[in-house]
């Protein structure tokens, strides 16, 4: 596995409402880049980033997962996040370690609840946002209507970079407004594009949309505006450079059209992420050093600092910690400080992540995302830094639980295994809380919703062979 330099890394979080095709897009990108040899599907329960049994059974993403593709000399780390509201904290953890957000929007439903939640979370982190209008092949899909809704909600800075060719069952390609070229795909899921002429009935719309895009790019920079007013056009290099500058500065939000499950329109998005999404060194990293706020650059010259955004307890591989290196680099077998827990860790072998599979690498560059095995006392939200240093990165705030249930083991054997299993689950998912009511003496499990708690119960049974019963907690009435 190649160790990529910081400037050649792109960390992209796929976010949005449930059932908008985030996992399907990751699967298509993995296939088109040659990382896997077949197009995996959510319905077939074989996708790379949905590898948990509960995700297979429910056909939804429950846990944030990471995969990567290599495209045109760049490594794109794809952070596939859950779309259900009760798993929002996991999605925010994914945004915490990203440098840009790819917001998936349904071409049928348009802007939904989680679209807005993830938009606000991306804004809080100051991340550039790309919109991908997916499911263009579905009945009642309407690209123009969705773009209009996005503009109304988030401003005129929402700007299409493509126009779709065809609609619903006849959707077959896109026109790239930047280059003026048209691309079509067969409905064979191969992902192989054919460059073709812009359809004659679209020529006027393409010319109008391209001019509007060029005006929007020129508006963001005085020099570009002067050049545009003088010449009436921008050359291709100036146009592309101005667009990237505006996207990185959150002055423009590009919109793409695709049908990820059919593998139509995927490659242009991969290319756009290389060309327009920022590398990890695009802005300083804010850290706290010995209680004082400072800024580091995402380079090998800065002190090492990494943020732990996910922990996985695998029955076979054991405890795996996922981290993003924000500054400095780190090599295999390094000794580091866990500044959050005030402890020391030996990192062991470093790996890059492809879903649940890992591939060992000798080092991770600043900005890259990797996995660590069997750390002793490191949890989600912790900061790892140079040995004998006190460097801290701001963790994601864990919200208070919304619902509680009483939890009882079914047998003595289950009772003996319950505490250990719950500790591992709690390490994976810090939004779950476990406690005992001091008055009723019942064990209580609390989470973001009923489905959230049911997922934990299912995991106890399938992964740890612990059977439990849920029921409503007792209410300790008092005489007054």
């Amino acid at each position: 596995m190649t160790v990529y330099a910081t400037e050649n890394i792109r960390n992209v979080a796929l976010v949005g409402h449930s059932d908008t095709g985030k996992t399907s897009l990751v699967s298509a990108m993995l296939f088109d880049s040659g990382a896997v040899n077949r197009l995996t599907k959510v319905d077939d329960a074989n996708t790379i980033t949905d590898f948990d049994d509960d995700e297979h059974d429910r056909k939804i993403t429950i846990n944030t997962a990471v995969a990567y593709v290599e495209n045109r000399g760049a490594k794109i780390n794809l952070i596939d996040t859950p779309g259900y509201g009760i798993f929002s904290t996991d999605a925010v953890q994914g945004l915490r370690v990203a440098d840009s957000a790819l917001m998936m929007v349904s071409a049928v439903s348009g802007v939904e609840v989680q679209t807005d939640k993830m938009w606000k979370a991306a804004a809080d982190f100051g991340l550039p946002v790309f919109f991908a209008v997916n499911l263009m092949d579905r009945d009642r899909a309407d690209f123009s209507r969705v773009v209009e809704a996005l503009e109304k909600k988030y401003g005129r800075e929402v700007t299409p970079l493509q126009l779709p060719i065809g609609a619903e069952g006849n959707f077959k390609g896109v026109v790239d407004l930047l280059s003026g070229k048209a691309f079509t795909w067969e409905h064979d899921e191969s992902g192989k594009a054919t460059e073709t002429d812009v359809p004659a009935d679209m020529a006027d719309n393409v010319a109008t949309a391209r001019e509007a895009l060029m005006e929007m790019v020129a508006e963001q920079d005085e020099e570009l505006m002067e050049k545009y007013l003088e010449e009436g056009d921008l050359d291709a290099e100036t146009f592309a450079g101005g667009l990237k500058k505006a996207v990185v500065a959150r002055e423009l939000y590009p919109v793409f059209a695709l049908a990820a499950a059919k593998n139509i329109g995927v490659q242009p998005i991969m290319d756009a992420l290389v060309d327009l999404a920022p590398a990890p060194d695009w802005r300083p990293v804010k850290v706290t050093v010995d209680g004082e706020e400072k800024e580091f650059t995402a380079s090998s010259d800065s002190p090492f600092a990494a943020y732990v955004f996910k922990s996985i307890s695998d029955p076979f591989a054991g405890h795996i910690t996922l981290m993003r290196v924000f500054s400095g680099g780190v090599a295999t077998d390094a000794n580091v400080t866990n500044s959050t827990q005030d402890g020391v860790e030996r990192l062991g072998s470093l790996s890059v992540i492809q879903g649940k599979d890992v591939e060992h690498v000798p080092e991770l560059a600043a900005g890259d995302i990797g996995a660590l095995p069997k750390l002793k006392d490191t949890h989600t939200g912790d900061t790892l830094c140079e040995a004998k240093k006190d460097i801290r990165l701001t963790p994601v705030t864990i919200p208070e639980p919304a619902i509680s249930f009483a939890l009882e083991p079914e047998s003595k054997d289950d009772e003996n295994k319950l505490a250990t299993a719950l500790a591992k689950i709690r390490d994976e998912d810090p939004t779950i809380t476990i406690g005992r009511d001091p008055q009723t003496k019942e064990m209580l499990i609390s989470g973001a919703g009923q489905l959230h708690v049911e997922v934990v119960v299912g995991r106890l049974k399938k992964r740890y062979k612990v059977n439990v019963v849920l029921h409503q907690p007792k209410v300790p009435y008092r005489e007054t």
Side-chain angles (χ1 to χ4, degrees), residues 426-440:
R426 177 75 175 80
D427 192 43
E428 279 189 294
D429 185 357
T431 60
I432 285 287
T433 60
I434 311 294
R436 193 172 290 278
D437 189 302
Q439 297 177 68
T440 65

Side-chain angles (χ1 to χ4, degrees), residues 124-164:
D124 289 341
F125 291 123
L127 299 181
V129 176
F130 300 84
F131 287 101
V133 181
N134 191 26
L135 313 177
M136 284 294 300
D137 57 321
R138 299 284 180 88
D139 291 342
R140 303 189 306 282
D142 190 328
F143 183 77
S144 298
R145 172 170 50 80
V146 173
V147 170
E148 187 178 328
L150 290 169
E151 288 176 347
K152 185 176 179 181
K153 187 76 176 176
Y154 305 120
R156 59 188 291 269
E157 293 80 14
V158 175
T159 309
L161 292 197
Q162 301 173 339
L163 290 184

Side-chain angles (χ1 to χ4, degrees), residues 1 54 77 146 153 188 201 208 255 323 378 396 438 452 467:
M1 172 66 200
D54 286 304
N77 287 317
V146 173
K153 187 76 176 176
D188 59 2
D201 60 344
T208 301
V255 187
M323 70 171 183
T378 296
V396 170
H452 191 195
N467 295 303

Side-chain angles (χ1 to χ4, degrees), residues 414-435:
D414 294 322
E415 185 177 355
N416 294 335
K417 296 185 291 185
L418 181 58
T420 302
L422 285 174
K424 291 179 179 178
I425 287 175
R426 177 75 175 80
D427 192 43
E428 279 189 294
D429 185 357
T431 60
I432 285 287
T433 60
I434 311 294

Side-chain angles (χ1 to χ4, degrees), residues 1-12 67-78 99-100 244 270-282 298-300 324 352 364-369:
M1 172 66 200
T2 304
V3 177
Y4 280 82
T6 302
E7 61 269 21
N8 295 324
I9 295 170
R10 305 290 184 271
N11 295 314
V12 184
Y68 68 89
V69 299
E70 297 170 287
N71 186 47
R72 292 173 42 211
K75 178 191 179 191
I76 307 174
N77 287 317
L78 301 167
D99 295 304
S100 57
K244 176 165 186 177
M270 292 171 62
D271 291 338
L273 293 176
V274 173
D275 294 334
L276 301 178
D281 57 1
W282 70 295
S299 72
S300 58
R324 150 86 189 257
V352 291
L364 288 173
D368 209 350
I369 291 175

